[in-house]
Amino acid sequence: MTIFLYVIGFSILVTMALALARALAGPTVFDRILAVNMFGTKAVLLVAVVAFISGRTDVLDIALLYSLLNFVGVAAALRLVERGSFYATERVHVKTKPGEKL
Amino acid sequence: MALTIDIFLLLFLIATAIGILRTRHLFAMAMMFGLYSLLVASLFLLMDAPDVAFTEAAVGTGIATVLMLATLAATRRSSEKPRQRFSPSALIITLSTTALLFYGTLDLPNFGDPQAPLHTEMAGRFIEQGQQDTGVPNLVTAVLASYRGFDTLGEVTVVFTAGVGVLLLLKRRRKPVVRGKSHAR
């Protein structure tokens, strides 16, 4: 049973690495939001697995908090993308002098 | 297993930090800071500090990210091209500060060491002498408010300053009075 949990934990870590790679590389804003959301979900799962491996099941409360925060954060990010002046593709870097306004 | 997870999470942390440093896209930077804070909170959790992990997750991942994104949505985008100049004095200052901090940790007992003075001497003294020393019936309050009084005073000062700053920022300004038409409301 413990070996089973170890395998699960390791595969979750690999998935986290893949999500992190997408968050770092992600060409568009939505790639990044999705990657961060997925990373948060995997963090919740990892915390749950660690809680069962170490036998401290009270830590599951923290996993619940993580999932809640993850949801709120992503919802807020998506609302702000819709309302703000962000674009789905990254804009080319605009060079400005100090003090000059765009 | 815990060590493996620690190593993986620390590697993720380094990768995220380098990603934050290298990106020029503010939105991506804010999202990555949320990710960074989630990783730090997970590390706190693995170090048996669930309360700190709770706070870090709520403040770092939740509120700080949303506030940063809201600020980005409310302000206009402009950026200056960063200087790419290599500065040896900055490198020296950073390295010497790092060395100093590492030197400072040499005197501390190892993490979770049962022979640390905190467990062998101080805990017993707090439990036995705490009430006579401070006169506070609750042990936690005695440690927080009396033994660690200066630390708590510093924390309270920080929280007070932050509260004053937020209140000053959020204070609604009075409407400018048009000449000859002063509304008494």
Side-chain angles (χ1 to χ4, degrees), chain B residues 102-123:
Chain B
F102 269 107
Y103 177 71
T105 60
L106 288 182
D107 271 349
L108 294 174
N110 284 332
F111 178 71
D113 183 11
Q115 294 304 316
L118 174 68
H119 302 299
T120 54
E121 290 165 28
M122 287 170 73

Side-chain angles (χ1 to χ4, degrees), chain A residues 6 13 16-17 20 24 29 32 36 39-40 47 50 56 59 62 66 69 77 80-81 86 91 93-94 96 98 102, chain B residues 1 5 8 12 16 19 25 27-28 32 35 38 41-42 45-46 48 50 54 57 69-70 72 76-77 79-80:
Chain A
Y6 283 169
L13 282 174
M16 281 171 103
L20 186 64
L24 288 173
V29 163
R32 292 185 200 276
V36 168
F39 196 89
V47 166
V50 166
R56 286 176 292 151
V59 170
I62 309 265
Y66 279 9
L69 281 174
L80 291 171
V81 166
F86 304 116
R91 218 200 280 175
H93 191 269
V94 186
T96 52
L102 272 182
Chain B
M1 183 61 189
I5 296 179
F8 261 94
F12 292 164
T16 316
H25 195 240
F27 187 91
M32 303 276 270
L35 222 159
L38 188 74
S42 305
L45 196 64
L46 288 175
D48 269 336
F54 224 89
L69 291 179
L72 283 180
R76 255 198 274 175
R77 294 163 52 100
S79 54
E80 292 169 19

Side-chain angles (χ1 to χ4, degrees), chain B residues 69-110:
Chain B
L69 291 179
T71 313
L72 283 180
T75 51
R76 255 198 274 175
R77 294 163 52 100
S78 78
S79 54
E80 292 169 19
K81 194 156 177 64
R83 288 180 298 169
Q84 297 283 352
R85 198 163 52 84
F86 174 75
S87 147
S89 59
L91 185 70
I92 290 171
I93 291 174
T94 314
L95 284 182
S96 54
T97 313
T98 313
L100 205 64
L101 287 175
F102 269 107
Y103 177 71
T105 60
L106 288 182
D107 271 349
L108 294 174
N110 284 332

Side-chain angles (χ1 to χ4, degrees), chain A residues 30-94:
Chain A
F30 297 112
D31 280 329
R32 292 185 200 276
I33 293 177
L34 200 59
V36 168
N37 186 22
M38 180 172 166
F39 196 89
T41 319
K42 296 300 165 283
V44 171
L45 294 180
L46 186 72
V47 166
V49 169
V50 166
F52 277 106
I53 286 178
S54 62
R56 286 176 292 151
T57 38
D58 53 321
V59 170
L60 284 177
D61 290 346
I62 309 265
L64 282 178
L65 174 82
Y66 279 9
S67 55
L68 203 65
L69 281 174
N70 207 9
F71 171 69
V72 172
V74 169
L78 288 174
R79 275 304 296 263
L80 291 171
V81 166
E82 186 186 353
R83 203 173 50 173
S85 60
F86 304 116
Y87 296 98
T89 51
E90 301 198 359
R91 218 200 280 175
V92 221
H93 191 269
V94 186

